[in-house]
Amino acid sequence: MKVCVVGSGAREHVLAHVLGRTAEVVVTPGNPGVPGSVATPPAGVEADLYVVGPEAPLVAGLADELRASGRLVFGPGADGARLEGSKAWMKQVVEAAGVPTARYGAFHEVEPAVEFLRSLPGPWVVKTDGLAAGKGVLVATSLDEAIADVRAKLAGEAFGEAGRTVVVEEGMTGPELSLLAVCDGTRAVALAPAQDFKRIGDGDTGPNTGGMGAYSPVPGAGEALVADVMARCVEPTLAELRRRGIDYRGVLYAGLMLTPHGPRLVEFNVRFGDPEAQVVLPRLASDLAELLATASSGDLTHASPPAFVDDACVTVVLASEGYPAAPRSGDVIEGIAKAEATGATVFCAGVARGPAGDLVTAGGRVLAVTGTGASVAAAREHAYRAAELISWPGLYHRTDIALEAALR
Ligand code: AMP
């Protein structure tokens, strides 16, 4: 089977890496650190299966275009991708599906949003409605800060058109969990749970980012919890989408909070998580290409259920100085080969070819270094040992990825 992976980040790198176990893979556009990268646009690549990585092309209808020309595509059409393209619509769908989630309101005007904020006990959450690369969310512990953020977002100062509608939510508390499910339009199968780290700073401080690290498996998130989330969040949503005439074939990524009252849905994403994919997919013991192809063709019953090795994976994201606000670029990256010589895998995201032919930084999140081990502690030690061998001026990473889980 020949698979075409669409995208240019570390998620597409790990997809290509794991699909490459059983399939021939090209990545478009990829990046200079991803083997098999081609400049040809997806429609110009001949392949048996197209896997669309990022949310933006899904929201823009790339999967629809490819399907219209008779291709087999893993990834929802624009109709289903709206789950991620509009947080207000996502909340409507999950509410109709009876999924446990935070109370919310969607607003275009400041005054009703402020009134709703005042009715909530706090913490307060303010989100831009549209795509904001994981950075449009404020979790505030002060009402004044939440109100100021509503004003800034609705004024279009922060995210332009994406912020013209805000979603205000009741803040939930508890550890977060990411559960990715592969869907064929009717059925869904769960992949292994993961936990990711969204804030820039150690101890979950500072602004939200696209994700600074992740690990899998998650201690305490066993089969019963996975079955509960599938039954209460993923399956009802898939059924609600179907009821609305949406044939959802792709990943439904449930971002969850394990609250004192049980798991609650924070959000759905419509693609593999980045960096969750960098710890979940390498642990797959079954055939990823077969799984995604059968889901895309609408009948998962023909695929072997996903199976995972017991070994743990931890990934540490290496970012540029200034990320997420103003990442610098153009610094020469050293040490990738040394890191890989430890047995770790280095997935490339924001990299480019420099004038001297070497890899240079070209974005906020530059690399994701995945270590493996018999326990989360061992995988964590491996990931950090490998990450320390990589350098460029201003390299930044968190030092506490998977720390708590390693101590459990
Ligand atoms: P989202 O883009 O909706 O996933 O939000 C990004 C992050 O903001 C989540 O992973 C949570 O850490 C946090 N967050 C979002 N919604 C809530 C909520 N209702 N309560 C508490 N934290 C939240």
Side-chain angles (χ1 to χ4, degrees):
M1 192 193 312
K2 183 171 173 188
V3 185
C4 174
V5 175
V6 181
S8 63
R11 163 185 46 219
E12 288 71 39
H13 193 170
V14 68
L15 276 164
H17 182 78
V18 177
L19 286 163
R21 293 174 184 168
T22 55
E24 183 193 340
V25 184
V26 295
V27 185
T28 173
N31 69 54
V34 178
S37 293
V38 297
T40 321
V45 175
E46 281 308 317
D48 305 301
L49 172 67
Y50 296 76
V51 178
V52 183
E55 59 278 17
L58 291 166
V59 171
L62 177 62
D64 303 299
E65 280 167 39
L66 291 169
R67 283 193 183 104
S69 63
R71 329 281 180 110
L72 188 63
V73 185
F74 186 75
D79 53 1
R82 215 177 149 204
L83 276 182
E84 186 160 356
S86 166
K87 289 183 191 288
W89 189 75
M90 182 273 287
K91 291 294 271 190
Q92 270 178 35
V93 170
V94 302
E95 196 164 68
V99 172
T101 186
R103 275 197 291 158
Y104 83 106
F107 305 94
H108 309 286
E109 308 286 340
V110 173
E111 284 319 313
V114 169
E115 200 176 312
F116 183 64
L117 274 170
R118 290 192 197 283
S119 75
L120 297 174
W124 299 267
V125 182
V126 182
K127 302 180 176 184
T128 53
D129 181 51
L131 291 182
K135 295 165 217 155
V137 177
L138 174 80
V139 181
T141 46
S142 109
L143 186 57
D144 288 344
E145 191 191 358
I147 292 173
D149 194 54
V150 162
R151 288 189 198 286
K153 280 178 174 148
L154 284 178
E157 287 162 18
F159 292 93
E161 286 310 311
R164 296 289 180 186
T165 302
V166 293
V167 171
V168 172
E169 289 180 18
E170 180 174 23
M172 303 181 287
T173 50
E176 291 187 51
L177 187 76
S178 303
L179 186 72
L180 281 64
V182 170
C183 306
D184 71 358
T186 312
R187 289 157 288 257
V189 289
L191 302 180
Q195 195 189 17
D196 80 329
F197 296 79
K198 290 212 170 61
R199 303 289 190 109
I200 187 74
D202 282 358
D204 293 328
T205 53
N208 268 322
T209 69
M212 296 303 294
Y215 68 91
S216 175
V218 180
E223 277 175 31
L225 179 65
V226 170
D228 186 42
V229 171
M230 291 300 284
R232 294 172 61 199
C233 298
V234 174
E235 282 155 12
T237 301
L238 197 55
E240 175 63 22
L241 290 170
R242 255 202 113 61
R243 208 182 57 75
R244 294 173 184 231
I246 298 173
D247 185 6
Y248 192 100
R249 301 182 190 188
V251 171
L252 258 186
Y253 157 153
L256 302 153
M257 203 160 264
L258 307 179
T259 75
H261 315 289
R264 296 271 185 279
L265 184 84
V266 176
E267 61 161 356
F268 273 122
N269 293 320
V270 299
R271 32 78 194 177
F272 288 99
D274 180 353
E276 287 92 334
Q278 289 92 301
V279 293
V280 171
L281 298 180
R283 298 187 54 234
L284 202 59
S286 50
D287 187 337
L288 181 62
E290 182 207 30
L291 179 70
L292 302 189
T294 45
S296 307
S297 65
D299 195 353
L300 267 174
T301 54
H302 292 307
S304 1
F308 290 87
V309 298
D310 290 336
D311 272 4
C313 282
V314 172
T315 200
V316 177
V317 170
L318 310 186
S320 297
E321 185 177 319
Y323 180 69
R328 71 182 233 187
S329 59
D331 293 304
V332 174
I333 303 168
E334 290 184 279
I336 291 180
K338 275 194 232 161
E340 293 205 313
T342 68
T345 319
V346 179
F347 298 110
C348 296
V351 305
R353 193 67 71 191
D358 35 15
L359 286 185
V360 299
T361 61
R365 295 190 298 164
V366 177
L367 305 174
V369 182
T370 297
T372 54
S375 62
V376 172
R380 175 175 196 275
E381 200 278 323
H382 184 201
Y384 274 108
R385 182 158 46 86
E388 295 311 329
L389 298 169
I390 297 176
S391 62
W392 65 80
L395 183 159
Y396 170 79
H397 64 74
R398 278 182 61 161
T399 65
D400 64 346
I401 302 301
L403 180 58
E404 265 181 54
L407 298 175
R408 260 187 263 164

